Structures are given as C-alpha cells and as structure tokens.
Amino acid sequence: GEMDIEDIEVFIGIDVGKSEHWATALSRDGQKVLDKALPNDEDRLREVYQRLQAKGQVLVVVDQPATIGALAVAVAQDMGITVGYLPGLSMRRIADLTPGSAKTDAKDAAVIAGAARSMPHTLRAVTTSDEEAAALSVLTGFDLDLARQVNQTEGRVRGQSFTQDPAQPSRPWWGPGWSMTPSWRPVAAWPTPADLKRAGKAKIDARLKKHGCRRHATWASQIVSALERQTVVVTGTDAAAVVLPHLARQLISLHSQRADVATQASDPGAGPPSCARS
C-alpha cells in the first residue's frame, strides 16, 4: 500500500552505487537541503542521516534495497528511519518526464527524492528483517573487498607488457572483455604467446566453450589474430609466464566468489553457498 508520509519533514533520495552513492534530500516544501556524493560507508551514512534528522522526521528512499543499497538501508533502519524504495520501472518513467535528457546519478537521486515527496504511491516499503539487513551489509562489504582485489589483480596483469601488440603498444592483446571469468582460462593454461600459438585456435576455443564463455569462437579468433600480429618476443616473457597463471587463477576465483555473493545477496535467507562448487 501507499507509504504514510504525513509526518515526514525530509525526503532523502539515494541513487546507489558500488563504492559511492548520490544523495539528494528535499524538505517538505521541496527545497533541496542536500545534494552530494556519499561514500558507501557506515560512518558517513550515519553522519548524513543524523544531520538531516535534526530538521525533523526523515524518509530514506533507495533505487535498490538489496546488494549495493543494503548498507544505506541497514544503517537507516538501525537509526529508526523509515525506508522505502522506488522500483526501477517507476523510476525510469518518472525520469523520462523530468527535464534534462542526461542520465546522471545526481538526476536519479533527485527523481527518487521528488517521487518520495510528491508521489508516495510509487514507493514500496522496505521491511527487511534486522537479520536480513545485517546479512546483506556483511555480503555487500565482502563484495566491495572482492571488487577491489579484482581491480588490483587486473592492474597487475596489465603490467605484464610482454603480451602487448607492438603495433598498438598501449593495448594488451587480451582486450577489454578479458575481465570476464571464462576468458582467463586460456591464460591459466598457456601463459605466453608462444604457448598459446602452440595450443592453437581449436584448443583455445574448446577451453573457452568448456568454461561457459558464450562468445568462445569469437574470443578464440581474436586471441589468435592478436598473436599472429605479434612477431617479437618481449623481454621478461619467461618471468611473466610464472606470474600470469597465478594471477589468472586468482581472477577466476575472485569472479566465482563474487557470483556466489551475488546469489546469496539476492536471497539472504538461503544459507551458505554449497562447498561442492569448484
């Protein structure tokens, strides 16, 4: 049913993101009292909520109450603040009617806050139990850690420059899509250009296909054509050949852990993931 906003003095709209959110708050008469980036950090969330609570009763509305929005929800609930969320479809419809075509975090947060203040019928109450909210905040924190580790490891892989295409030194041959889990399988098995050349397109394709890479044939072709363009052996190849399989296996494991966390976060009551998974 419709949320009761009769006693609310401050309407906070939060466009949630993995590492930071955008928060826009409106007073009852529609004045903007906050419009800023907000780290996904318990202390900072608490500080902003407290500052706005000084102006009267607060309603916090997010666009995603689970996973990346879980901490913002859990902190608000812990402080006794009413929490709602604006479903994606409603939000896009309202955004389409809002002046300005660019989709930005700030615009989205303003759309959420505006809907909370003037269209309470579009909101749904967030009634997550304390236990589920706590579970989600733990999962969200862990996923942030995993995401940082993925970025660090991918940075290290990019540093192994022996695999670069000499015609385009700034672009490693593995390309932008290599952050996808299955694509690291050939690197784990054949870490140098020479190894991959010896393996050949059919084996690379078979390995990608086995591990569920949907565009396995395309990736195999791209890898082989990039290898054909590189005729020089770059200094440091042997050392990098020791390091790369470890980094590739780390990335495969990190992506697998993130997938487990995402599954768990979508159903926090499901219990721990199966240990049988490889």
Side-chain angles (χ1 to χ4, degrees):
E2 189 171 314
M3 290 192 73
D4 181 12
I5 62 163
E6 206 174 310
D7 300 325
I8 303 295
E9 295 298 331
V10 182
F11 301 83
I12 311 176
I14 301 181
D15 179 63
V16 305
K18 277 186 182 167
S19 57
E20 70 171 18
H21 311 316
W22 192 277
T24 302
L26 300 174
S27 63
R28 193 164 189 75
D29 61 0
Q31 296 296 308
K32 207 172 268 188
V33 291
L34 177 82
D35 194 29
K36 63 182 282 191
L38 183 60
N40 190 27
D41 171 271
E42 180 173 348
D43 290 340
R44 296 296 295 280
L45 286 161
R46 207 172 276 278
E47 181 191 315
V48 167
Y49 292 161
Q50 271 170 351
R51 199 171 351 126
L52 293 169
Q53 274 182 316
K55 299 176 189 294
Q57 199 163 323
V58 169
L59 169 66
V60 168
V61 180
V62 294
D63 57 337
Q64 295 181 54
T67 57
I68 59 174
L71 190 61
V73 169
V75 173
Q77 287 184 324
D78 185 58
M79 295 174 70
I81 294 171
T82 307
V83 185
Y85 84 100
L86 183 62
L89 188 58
S90 303
M91 185 172 162
R92 292 271 60 87
R93 282 182 182 149
I94 298 163
D96 289 344
L97 304 172
T98 308
S101 56
K103 182 204 176 301
T104 64
D105 297 343
K107 179 186 171 180
D108 285 350
V111 165
I112 296 165
R117 189 181 75 88
S118 57
M119 293 184 278
H121 62 276
T122 59
L123 307 180
R124 294 188 192 160
V126 174
T127 52
T128 323
S129 73
D130 291 345
E131 196 177 326
E132 283 181 336
L136 282 170
S137 100
V138 168
L139 290 166
T140 308
F142 182 49
D143 187 59
L144 273 172
D145 290 342
L146 290 172
R148 285 188 200 106
Q149 287 176 56
V150 167
N151 288 338
Q152 278 178 340
T153 308
E154 286 180 350
R156 281 203 193 98
V157 171
R158 278 192 288 276
Q160 308 302 325
S161 59
F162 77 91
T163 46
Q164 287 178 344
D165 174 354
Q168 293 178 292
S170 63
R171 282 184 56 202
W173 60 258
W174 51 74
W178 276 77
S179 58
M180 295 190 320
T181 312
S183 311
W184 290 105
R185 305 281 175 177
V187 178
W190 306 295
T192 70
D195 293 334
L196 282 159
K197 277 180 181 172
R198 274 194 296 274
K201 184 151 91 173
K203 277 189 181 172
I204 293 170
D205 182 30
R207 180 163 284 253
L208 288 168
K209 186 177 180 182
K210 177 186 170 187
H211 290 288
C213 181
R214 275 181 304 181
R215 295 174 58 225
H216 53 88
T218 308
W219 279 117
S221 298
Q222 284 183 1
I223 290 166
V224 169
S225 76
L227 290 166
E228 283 167 358
R229 288 198 304 272
Q230 178 166 317
T231 55
V232 294
V233 176
V234 181
T235 310
T237 295
D238 292 342
V242 174
V243 173
L244 258 181
H246 291 289
L247 294 174
R249 283 192 290 272
Q250 272 179 36
L251 278 169
I252 290 163
S253 168
L254 288 165
H255 282 293
S256 167
Q257 289 177 65
R258 289 197 76 190
D260 268 352
V261 168
T263 305
Q264 190 66 11
S266 64
D267 184 9
S274 164
C275 296
R277 250 174 249 157
S278 57

